Amino acid sequence: MGILARTFYNRDTVTVARELLGKCLVHVEQGSRRVGRIVEVEAYVGPHDKASHSSKGMTARNAPMFGPPGIAYVYMIYGMYYCMNVVTGPEGFASAVLLRAVEPVEGITGRTQGPGLLCRAMGIAKQMNRHDLMSDELFIAEDRADEFKIVKRPRIGVDYAGAWAKRHLRFYIAGNAFVSRQ
DNA sequence: CTCGGGATGCGT
DNA sequence: CGCATCCCGAGG
């Protein structure tokens, strides 16, 4: 499998988000491998994005977003779920792509639609925060290069973000059964 | 230190 | 719509 290089992530966040669709998220742990094909993402495009955790500057929680491209930003939400992002753009420019849903490919039990369920099913929790996606424990790789249409919609759960809540920064594979809230 | 709320998901 | 459940970030 071809692991995506850091140069892949060191680009415009929307471009990275769209190109992550159809790629495979891989988590290897104690010899077992879990693979999911990414079917739904959201772009959090920078500190000017009012829906982004980085919009109020660097804090203990969002510090990974300010780090180099190609690392994971994993945080706990509502006391019971984790959400995984991949950090994009140049180091210091706090932007990321939230992984919202994958289609099970290998070693996955449980549901994978929605960022919280995705992390649960893939075994991704706090231990993966700041983890480098150039590693062989957690990475994203090329899959088959099939054709699909990309749907653009407003992001989920960011109504507090004013005009930014209306921007079409959620992307998913049209018609895919594992997309959340379709 | 307290306190309010959240890039969720599930049941009613 | 309510709620589980907890960490974070703001404010005193």
Side-chain angles (χ1 to χ4, degrees):
Chain A
M1 272 199 186
I3 297 180
L4 298 182
R6 202 173 307 284
T7 50
F8 176 92
Y9 301 100
N10 190 18
R11 295 182 295 162
D12 168 75
T13 309
V14 168
T15 302
V16 175
R18 295 175 62 95
E19 293 190 14
L20 279 174
L21 292 175
K23 303 292 194 293
C24 277
L25 175 65
V26 183
H27 183 202
V28 180
E29 189 180 35
Q30 297 170 340
S32 72
R33 195 163 78 142
R34 290 183 248 201
V35 183
R37 181 170 172 257
I38 298 167
V39 299
E40 179 185 356
V41 296
E42 283 178 0
Y44 290 83
V45 300
H48 55 297
D49 177 355
K50 295 303 182 196
S52 173
H53 288 173
S54 64
S55 66
K56 291 171 182 162
M58 184 160 62
T59 66
R61 178 176 67 160
N62 68 21
M65 291 186 77
F66 292 78
I71 66 171
Y73 167 41
V74 180
Y75 67 93
M76 171 162 274
I77 186 73
Y78 300 119
M80 35 176 42
Y81 296 104
Y82 288 96
C83 293
M84 176 180 167
N85 299 253
V86 298
V87 174
T88 62
E91 182 160 6
F93 184 75
S95 59
V97 175
L98 171 67
L99 306 183
R100 283 196 57 92
V102 299
E103 174 183 328
V105 173
E106 179 187 327
I108 293 182
T109 57
R111 297 171 72 80
T112 57
Q113 48 188 169
L117 293 178
L118 182 160
C119 283
R120 176 187 291 176
M122 293 286 302
I124 292 162
K126 202 76 174 178
Q127 87 279 5
M128 283 304 169
N129 195 27
R130 292 181 176 276
H131 197 91
D132 191 356
L133 299 179
M134 309 304 111
S135 72
D136 51 11
E137 295 88 40
L138 184 68
F139 59 90
I140 301 174
E142 284 284 356
D143 194 25
R144 59 186 184 281
D146 58 346
E147 295 286 319
F148 49 79
K149 283 186 180 172
I150 298 176
V151 180
K152 300 186 290 185
R153 288 286 182 272
R155 292 169 292 185
I156 302 290
V158 295
D159 294 341
Y160 55 83
W164 282 92
K166 297 188 172 69
R167 298 277 299 274
H168 284 33
L169 292 171
R170 175 185 178 219
F171 305 95
Y172 59 83
I173 294 179
N176 188 280
F178 294 91
V179 172
S180 70
R181 312 196 202 184
Q182 192 165 3

